[in-house]
Amino acid sequence: MDINRFKKRGYVKRPTYIEPLNNLTKLMNKNINLYVKRDDLLESGGNKTRKLDYLIADAIEKGCDTIITCGAVQSNHCRITLSWANLEKMDCHLIIEERVKGSYKEDANGNNFLFHLMGAKSIKMVAGKSDMMAEMEKKAEELRKEGKKPYIVPGGGSNGIGALGYSSCALELMEQLAKESLDIDTIVVPSGSSGTHAGMAVALKALNSKINLVGINVSRTTEEQKDTVFKVAQEHIEVLGLDKNILRRDDLICIEDYVGEGYSLKTEGMKNAVEVFAREESILLDPVYTGKVADGFLDLIKKDYFKEGSNVLFLHTGGSIALYAYQNYFKD
Ligand SMILES: *Cc1c(COP(=O)(O)O)cnc(C)c1O
């Protein structure tokens, strides 16, 4: 798998740490060793930085001067895209989807506050289930008339190019494991817009790795999520020029049990997982993604889903800034 031929901006300056979760390992008391990879500590704070490293390089290569992207009301992706656009001196326009009716508040804290503080050129709110690509195209057309050269970054930065961020993360990880003589059996990842899951899945196959990759859904059912991941994976395989049959849809694991009533909606398991990580490991998660993934991670350990004596790694993808918009989720 030759990834070095793809242009990137160099946002990922060093491998993110892999740390043992010693206190949690003891607390779970299961003869399973727990580890975390700290992608939450990437510059600008989260997994979108890896995807944008390649996407913004593509935008610049195409001569664009303006970025348009979309996300939910507390989108980490929008905030991180805005921060890299600022550093590149590019304008950034956001289309915000109100997935939960009544959830958009112009003066909300967390990521929303930062959209304003960091100077998004425009913020447009649209109703849940809107055609976000069409909304972004409309904005692009407007900007073209003003003489701008807009580049559309899809939701979550998840397409065949954005997924390069996570196939390269898998390469980084394999190198770290070799260096540290660490034999990881399973990696637990979030499965949302799925550039993360798809990029890792394709790379682990291309590397012929035996590591088991478990995706925890944050919004969709298992079948819907498998479709989502598989579609991005196929686009990614095409970008890489790999054999189409390297990954089958049935190779994907997507677990729907920790979504609760829907995207960004509170679950007791999420609340508990966020508290446990904060108190045992001093690691801040978020209510929308990593809190639900950590709920799955801990629950699967309790249910003996992982084999006895195995080493399990949790990929921490960031998002803790959203905590400040969901304080009410943590009050009893
Ligand atoms: C976007 C996001 C995810 C989901 O990653 P995808 O590649 O969209 O599946 C997970 N965690 C956090 C904190 C995110 O912001």
Side-chain angles (χ1 to χ4, degrees):
M1 201 178 61
D2 175 15
I3 250 183
N4 296 327
R5 67 199 150 103
F6 297 99
K7 286 216 166 59
K8 60 179 176 184
R9 297 297 291 165
Y11 300 158
V12 182
K13 296 187 181 64
R14 60 195 77 82
T16 55
Y17 306 125
I18 295 176
E19 296 166 349
L21 293 165
N22 291 326
N23 293 343
L24 262 182
T25 295
K26 257 190 220 130
L27 183 76
M28 298 310 285
N29 195 21
K30 278 285 190 181
N31 191 20
I32 305 272
N33 300 306
L34 309 180
Y35 296 85
V36 62
K37 184 166 170 65
R38 299 293 303 270
D39 271 16
D40 59 314
L41 301 180
L42 282 165
E43 283 81 352
S44 292
N47 64 340
K48 303 312 178 305
T49 289
R50 288 193 190 269
K51 308 182 197 181
L52 290 162
D53 204 356
Y54 291 94
L55 288 162
I56 294 190
D58 187 46
I60 290 170
E61 172 119 313
K62 294 193 162 105
C64 297
D65 54 19
T66 299
I67 301 288
I68 303 170
T69 199
C70 68
V73 297
Q74 280 294 328
S75 171
N76 301 302
H77 166 71
C78 285
R79 186 244 316 155
I80 295 173
T81 303
L82 171 59
S83 70
W84 288 115
N86 282 349
L87 282 163
E88 300 282 8
K89 303 302 274 177
M90 297 168 106
D91 289 348
C92 183
H93 297 264
L94 305 177
I95 314 276
I96 300 298
E97 179 187 3
E98 193 183 41
R99 293 187 193 167
V100 178
K101 222 176 166 181
S103 64
Y104 181 74
K105 297 196 174 56
E106 210 187 313
D107 61 351
N109 203 336
N111 285 304
N112 177 75
F113 165 61
L114 296 181
F115 299 161
H116 295 281
L117 179 77
M118 300 177 84
K121 272 280 167 194
S122 73
I123 302 174
K124 183 183 179 193
M125 205 274 282
V126 298
K129 299 212 161 63
S130 296
D131 181 344
M132 298 306 282
M133 196 41 95
E135 290 291 339
M136 291 193 288
E137 291 286 3
K138 207 157 71 186
K139 185 78 204 175
E141 203 40 52
E142 246 173 62
L143 291 167
R144 272 185 220 110
K145 283 189 188 132
E146 294 169 17
K148 294 283 185 188
K149 290 194 167 148
Y151 182 92
I152 293 176
V153 171
S158 289
N159 60 15
I161 294 174
L164 284 165
Y166 273 88
S167 46
S168 62
C169 175
L171 292 175
E172 171 187 307
L173 176 74
M174 297 309 273
E175 219 171 277
Q176 281 177 304
L177 298 183
K179 219 184 263 170
E180 296 172 25
S181 300
L182 187 56
D183 185 16
I184 292 290
D185 301 276
T186 301
I187 305 175
V188 176
V189 297
S191 203
S193 67
S194 90
T196 305
H197 190 174
M200 297 274 281
V202 169
L204 290 175
K205 279 288 178 198
L207 296 168
N208 219 350
S209 167
K210 296 268 180 307
I211 295 178
N212 192 26
L213 185 68
V214 175
I216 309 276
N217 306 1
V218 296
S219 59
R220 301 183 186 86
T221 63
T222 291
E223 293 310 311
E224 288 167 340
Q225 190 61 28
K226 278 193 177 193
D227 287 343
T228 304
V229 181
F230 192 55
K231 181 166 174 287
V232 176
Q234 283 178 308
E235 286 173 25
H236 188 44
I237 286 168
E238 187 162 339
V239 165
L240 287 170
L242 295 172
D243 174 0
K244 264 210 325 255
N245 301 314
I246 189 172
L247 180 84
R248 290 166 308 163
R249 186 179 178 281
D250 278 344
D251 294 331
L252 297 167
I253 301 175
C254 296
I255 301 183
E256 66 187 5
D257 301 355
Y258 306 98
V259 174
E261 283 174 40
Y263 177 82
S264 79
L265 297 174
K266 177 183 173 177
T267 65
E268 273 310 302
M270 175 283 295
K271 176 173 181 270
N272 182 54
V274 171
E275 284 175 359
V276 167
F277 265 75
R279 293 170 191 184
E280 295 293 326
E281 298 290 347
S282 297
I283 291 176
L284 298 181
L285 303 176
D286 82 279
V288 180
Y289 297 96
T290 57
K292 287 184 177 174
V293 179
D295 177 28
F297 176 68
L298 298 176
D299 190 57
L300 293 173
I301 295 165
K302 279 185 211 147
K303 288 180 173 157
D304 298 318
Y305 178 88
F306 306 110
K307 78 173 184 293
E308 176 97 22
S310 64
N311 296 324
V312 183
L313 180 122
F314 173 80
L315 179 69
H316 186 348
T317 44
S320 67
I321 283 170
L323 279 172
Y324 308 106
Y326 292 101
Q327 271 188 65
N328 60 326
Y329 279 14
F330 298 91
K331 292 179 184 143
D332 288 312

